[in-house]
Amino acid sequence: MRTISENRCFGGVQGVYAHASEATGCEMTFGLFLPKEAEEQPVPVLWYLSGLTCTHENAMVKAGAQRWAAEAGIALVFPDTSPRGEGVADDAAYDLGQGAGFYVNATEEPWSKHYRMWDYIAEDLPRTLFSAFPLAPEAQAITGHSMGGHGALTLAMGLPGRFRSVSAFAPIANPTASDWGRKQLTAYLGADESKWAAHDSTLQLKRRGFDGPILIDQGSSDQFIDLLKPEALAEAIASTRQNATFRMQKGYDHSYFFVSTFMESHIAFHADHLLA
């Protein structure tokens, strides 16, 4: 692992690091905010998964999360959204290829060589983090925005016992029934739709649910709301009686202005469970 940068931030340190990933077969970059408490002891960690076209940097710079994490005494991890670099497959479209890994393990060519983002988030990056930094593996939570909200929800349900809580900002909630999903799942996993279900939070909520609390914020003026399909997830929450709060935020769109507005309440939500 190599250090790209470290900056003092709200009494802690915002770092950016790169490491050789076994899962993706290339160098991956991530951001990590450590609060001042990490100087004395391992601290709880909140994962933030970003959306389409993003890198590790978008939320790290735009979400305003460090202030609230510092007050709560929890770390923040900002992974990249896909493998990158020379020899890594890509596509001219913004919603496929680099910047659009969809947090799945691709099985189809040309994606299968590097696009193993499920394993990267579930196994590879945690192994690196917990061996190198003062983080408490028994106290993890996860959140994300858009494609990252999709990833946060599916990883939380797909890794029982890993995360104490999960939240999402405008997640891609029903990708098997949306153009933001069917295109990518076909490309990465093939045409057999039975292989897609594990990566659809609406379907997973109905099949297995999450053994913990969920918080969802969705802007009512989101320009992509028809692709996100929040109504499907809301119906699944109601029909399964999942322990969840779903908030439709009047007038908000899909941008980081929306994310930063509600970041404080999401971090407070997770802190309640991470520090319990």
Side-chain angles (χ1 to χ4, degrees), residues 241-275:
R241 300 177 181 176
Q242 169 69 44
N243 176 12
T245 300
F246 186 104
R247 307 189 299 200
M248 186 65 72
Q249 302 291 0
K250 183 175 177 59
Y252 284 88
D253 61 16
H254 199 69
S255 70
Y256 266 94
F257 296 110
F258 158 66
V259 173
S260 61
T261 297
F262 298 102
M263 181 57 72
E264 179 185 7
S265 66
H266 279 245
I267 290 182
F269 163 76
H270 291 295
D272 283 346
H273 303 284
L274 289 171
L275 302 173

Side-chain angles (χ1 to χ4, degrees), residues 130-147:
F130 292 117
S131 65
F133 299 99
L135 303 171
E138 72 278 6
Q140 298 184 64
I142 191 166
T143 187
H145 173 229
S146 193
M147 179 186 72

Side-chain angles (χ1 to χ4, degrees), residues 102 146-151 153-154 157 168-185 193 196-207 216 218 224-237 246:
F102 257 75
S146 193
M147 179 186 72
H150 139 81
L153 290 165
T154 54
M157 287 184 275
F169 301 86
I172 300 174
N174 191 196
T176 62
S178 169
D179 288 342
W180 267 5
R182 295 188 63 84
K183 171 184 177 179
Q184 295 83 0
L185 294 173
E193 296 188 20
W196 300 358
H199 301 288
D200 186 308
S201 58
T202 294
L203 298 181
Q204 286 304 298
L205 193 60
K206 291 179 177 180
R207 293 181 181 185
I216 308 291
Q218 171 65 58
F224 304 113
I225 198 165
D226 290 338
L227 293 166
L228 302 173
K229 297 191 176 296
E231 64 281 358
L233 184 59
E235 188 279 326
I237 288 169
F246 186 104

Side-chain angles (χ1 to χ4, degrees), residues 60-251:
M60 190 181 80
V61 173
K62 296 179 180 180
Q66 292 91 340
R67 174 183 176 181
W68 311 116
E71 290 188 5
I74 63 177
L76 299 168
V77 180
F78 303 99
D80 203 347
T81 56
S82 77
R84 299 179 191 273
E86 186 177 351
V88 175
D90 199 9
D91 190 271
Y94 75 95
D95 58 354
L96 188 67
Q98 295 186 33
F102 257 75
Y103 305 101
V104 304
N105 286 340
T107 57
E108 302 297 303
E109 295 294 338
W111 314 106
S112 57
K113 182 178 180 180
H114 297 288
Y115 282 74
R116 302 189 62 81
M117 289 301 294
W118 179 282
D119 282 354
Y120 178 68
I121 300 297
E123 299 176 11
D124 195 359
L125 184 53
R127 188 164 51 243
T128 296
L129 287 170
F130 292 117
S131 65
F133 299 99
L135 303 171
E138 72 278 6
Q140 298 184 64
I142 191 166
T143 187
H145 173 229
S146 193
M147 179 186 72
H150 139 81
L153 290 165
T154 54
L155 281 153
M157 287 184 275
L159 300 170
R162 173 77 60 91
F163 302 106
R164 295 188 183 180
S165 52
V166 59
S167 71
F169 301 86
I172 300 174
N174 191 196
T176 62
S178 169
D179 288 342
W180 267 5
R182 295 188 63 84
K183 171 184 177 179
Q184 295 83 0
L185 294 173
T186 300
Y188 294 141
L189 302 179
D192 182 356
E193 296 188 20
S194 67
K195 298 178 180 178
W196 300 358
H199 301 288
D200 186 308
S201 58
T202 294
L203 298 181
Q204 286 304 298
L205 193 60
K206 291 179 177 180
R207 293 181 181 185
R208 66 170 71 187
F210 177 63
D211 187 21
I214 298 174
L215 172 63
I216 308 291
D217 273 313
Q218 171 65 58
S220 67
S221 297
D222 192 315
Q223 59 271 44
F224 304 113
I225 198 165
D226 290 338
L227 293 166
L228 302 173
K229 297 191 176 296
E231 64 281 358
L233 184 59
E235 188 279 326
I237 288 169
S239 65
T240 60
R241 300 177 181 176
Q242 169 69 44
N243 176 12
T245 300
F246 186 104
R247 307 189 299 200
M248 186 65 72
Q249 302 291 0
K250 183 175 177 59

